[in-house]
Amino acid sequence: MEASTPGRARRDRRRARVVGYWLSSPAVLLFLSAFLVYAPPSVGYLIRLPRGFHLSQDLVKIVGSTNFPVKVYVMLHQRSPHVLCATQRLRNAELIDPSYQWHGPRGKIISENSSIQVTSTGSLVFQNFEEAMSGVYTCFLEYKPTVEEIVKNLQLKYLVYAYREPHYYYQFTARYHAAPCNSIYNISFEKKLLQILSKLVLDLSCEISLLKSECHRVKMQRAGLQNELFFTFSVSSLDTEKGPKPCKDRNCESSRRLSKAKNLIERFFNQQVEVLGKRTEPLPEIYYIEGTLQMVWINRCFPGYGMNALSHPNCPECCVICSPGSYNPRDGIHCLQCNNSLVYGAKACL
């Protein structure tokens, strides 16, 4: 253990402000001191794997191609960019007496439609995009390049997909020196640990879930056997846009709340190391093993959506609605093949 310094002593005397309540060093010590036994302290380091994510953004205006259908991604419940009934060449050209007609999955689209609009210049715009709006959209364009020339016809196809931001979470693993593996004290300690972790992130509208807890006997290097608890738990954000008091402030964004929750959890485990380092009494029977906390970032999509960088290279980190012929029944990240699936966003293979 490192020697205590005046700076560290001052930091120890200060109480750590945790969202919703105060977590002092004595409180951490009380949490750790359930059972006493002599054990050597371990040393190590904290592994941090922070990772940010971003979603590919659609262009303000999207043009078509006569060679292949153009893929368009619209965030669920949002307004789409303008989908032009024109190629890149025709976009900047002068057209005489242009006539536009759009057809979607449900037939001809009229400009008076409240959810799908066709502008006077032939652009297609979606309002409050819904899953059922996903599909093939075809534009039929008639125009004259000049007054003297005959009418020309052009057909452009677009594949329009709903997409959502990934619903991601942090997964943590940590190890504790433990009581004998058949001891009920380990179970009691596990419950206390989960209660404290849940209380840490409660006011951030995040939740803790225990994924796995195992006890093993570990042969130490140049030492004997010791019992260790292997904890795996996750922290994920709850939906703050629902409920009696929906929160739409920037600080309510899932990524911000999860980042704060991650920092609180890391701080909590660091505090355990600091408190044990200053302890003069025998170590508790169950205590955190320094340097064993590890974290990974895990993406997941909602049922009916999935990620596929090959199929959707312009939106590789988007959870794109599953196309016909595929489905996603769980909160994984891939759409699975299903020949019986005939709709977009299938959640089952019937």
Side-chain angles (χ1 to χ4, degrees):
M1 289 293 176
E2 297 181 14
S4 178
T5 64
R8 287 185 61 187
R10 285 194 298 271
R11 288 195 300 273
D12 245 15
R13 286 195 296 268
R14 290 200 302 263
R15 298 174 110 187
R17 178 70 167 99
V18 177
V19 177
Y21 72 104
W22 292 91
L23 182 64
S24 61
S25 295
V28 177
L29 180 59
L30 180 63
F31 167 66
L32 292 168
S33 59
F35 318 100
L36 298 179
V37 71
Y38 291 95
S42 64
V43 295
Y45 56 91
L46 182 66
I47 299 177
R48 292 185 177 89
L49 299 173
R51 177 183 169 194
F53 76 99
H54 63 87
L55 296 172
S56 299
Q57 299 296 324
D58 295 310
L59 298 176
V60 176
K61 294 185 178 181
I62 299 175
V63 297
S65 171
T66 56
N67 299 321
F68 53 84
V70 172
K71 295 182 179 180
V72 182
Y73 304 93
V74 185
M75 182 175 284
L76 193 65
H77 305 311
Q78 300 297 316
R79 188 173 187 268
S80 76
H82 283 232
V83 182
L84 305 186
C85 187
T87 61
Q88 186 63 44
R89 181 182 65 83
L90 291 178
R91 178 183 181 182
N92 300 316
E94 183 179 78
L95 305 181
I96 305 298
D97 296 329
S99 173
Y100 310 95
Q101 190 175 113
W102 281 92
H103 286 257
R106 299 181 180 179
K108 183 178 178 181
I109 299 172
I110 58 176
S111 58
E112 290 78 13
N113 192 314
S114 60
S115 58
I116 307 177
Q117 298 176 351
V118 179
T119 68
S120 60
T121 55
S123 295
L124 187 69
V125 183
F126 298 93
Q127 309 286 343
N128 190 26
F129 195 81
E130 301 289 344
E131 290 184 355
M133 296 179 184
S134 300
V136 179
Y137 288 79
T138 305
C139 174
F140 299 92
L141 170 63
E142 290 186 356
Y143 70 98
K144 289 183 178 181
T146 65
V147 175
E148 292 79 15
E149 294 186 62
I150 63 172
V151 173
K152 291 192 174 184
N153 296 283
L154 186 67
Q155 179 177 318
L156 301 174
K157 283 192 175 183
Y158 295 87
L159 299 177
V160 183
Y161 299 92
Y163 81 92
R164 306 178 70 168
E165 291 184 357
H167 184 51
Y168 63 93
Y169 62 93
Y170 289 110
Q171 180 173 299
F172 291 86
T173 57
R175 292 162 65 175
Y176 278 78
H177 187 280
C181 287
N182 58 356
S183 172
I184 60 172
Y185 296 131
N186 292 333
I187 299 176
S188 176
F189 182 86
E190 174 188 306
K191 292 180 179 179
K192 290 180 182 179
L193 177 63
L194 291 177
Q195 288 174 359
I196 286 188
L197 291 173
S198 296
K199 194 172 182 181
L200 276 175
V201 302
L202 178 63
D203 285 356
L204 291 171
S205 294
C206 293
E207 65 177 355
I208 298 290
S209 300
L210 179 64
L211 304 179
K212 185 169 61 174
S213 176
E214 298 177 343
C215 182
H216 297 279
R217 299 188 71 193
V218 180
K219 170 64 172 66
M220 306 303 295
Q221 292 182 357
R222 301 180 182 179
L225 293 170
Q226 72 176 31
N227 301 305
E228 291 188 10
L229 289 173
F230 291 71
F231 286 110
T232 302
F233 63 92
S234 67
V235 55
S236 58
S237 62
L238 301 173
D239 191 351
T240 59
E241 296 182 358
K242 298 180 181 179
K245 294 182 179 180
C247 180
K248 296 184 179 180
D249 185 80
R250 187 178 181 187
N251 290 326
C252 296
E253 293 178 3
S254 176
S255 58
R256 287 176 175 268
R257 291 184 287 113
L258 270 180
S259 180
K260 291 180 181 179
K262 174 183 72 73
N263 292 338
L264 289 176
I265 292 171
E266 291 178 338
R267 186 179 190 179
F268 170 69
F269 281 90
N270 284 334
Q271 282 182 315
Q272 295 181 60
V273 174
E274 292 177 5
V275 171
L276 288 174
K278 297 179 180 298
R279 185 182 177 94
T280 57
E281 299 85 0
L283 288 172
E285 185 173 21
I286 304 176
Y287 62 86
Y288 168 62
I289 300 176
E290 183 181 1
T292 62
L293 182 69
Q294 299 186 41
M295 181 204 74
V296 293
W297 164 297
I298 297 180
N299 280 327
R300 61 182 179 182
C301 295
F302 291 93
Y305 290 78
M307 292 184 185
N308 191 323
L310 294 178
S311 298
H312 305 292
N314 292 329
C315 207
E317 295 185 14
C318 306
C319 289
V320 181
I321 194 167
C322 295
S323 300
S326 65
Y327 77 111
N328 183 7
R330 300 177 298 274
D331 56 353
I333 61 171
H334 298 297
C335 295
L336 309 176
Q337 183 176 351
C338 175
N339 295 331
N340 297 328
S341 172
L342 303 177
V343 298
Y344 284 87
K347 302 175 180 63
C349 185
L350 302 176

